[in-house]
Amino acid sequence: MKIVVDTNIIFSALLNSNSNIGQILLKPNNNLEFYSVKFLQHELIKHYSKIIKYSKQSENKITELIEIIYSKIHFIDEQLIKKNTSYSRKTYL
């Protein structure tokens, strides 16, 4: 199964690696393929000190978790994603 993960999902897994999301991302599972854009890496670097602070984990442990998570994600360059210019917003009543 292919799953797209965003920054919030990764933050959640890092803040509580024992949560359901943390376990799904960190435990080996050959049936799941994770995908995200490279910008996710920038966001993690940007908020690295906050992640350490709120996770109450050591810097080494967070770095280790990030490396594990990165190894499980297929990163895609945002520029390769075609923008849908024909998208029209529908109003639902």
Side-chain angles (χ1 to χ4, degrees):
M1 177 186 296
K2 295 179 181 183
I3 300 172
V4 176
V5 293
D6 68 2
T7 307
N8 290 323
I9 297 295
I10 304 304
F11 283 168
S12 180
L14 291 171
L15 294 176
N16 184 0
S17 59
N18 293 320
S19 68
N20 289 338
I21 291 171
Q23 291 300 301
I24 290 169
L25 280 167
L26 296 168
K27 295 281 181 170
N29 186 330
N30 294 332
N31 297 327
L32 301 176
E33 293 180 49
F34 299 106
Y35 291 86
S36 190
V37 292
K38 288 185 178 183
F39 187 72
L40 179 140
Q41 295 170 324
H42 170 77
E43 287 293 300
L44 287 180
I45 292 167
K46 180 178 172 182
H47 298 287
Y48 185 74
S49 60
K50 287 183 184 178
I51 293 168
I52 293 168
K53 177 182 176 182
Y54 292 115
S55 71
K56 299 177 182 165
Q57 304 253 4
S58 70
E59 185 173 346
N60 289 338
K61 180 65 175 176
I62 293 299
T63 300
E64 178 185 334
L65 292 173
I66 289 172
E67 288 175 3
I68 292 168
I69 290 171
Y70 280 2
S71 73
K72 296 181 181 227
I73 297 176
H74 301 278
F75 287 100
I76 300 169
D77 188 342
E78 298 86 2
Q79 296 178 0
L80 298 176
I81 300 172
K82 182 178 178 183
K83 293 182 181 179
N84 187 350
T85 56
S86 64
Y87 174 77
S88 63
R89 177 177 257 172
K90 294 182 179 181
T91 305
Y92 295 97
L93 301 175

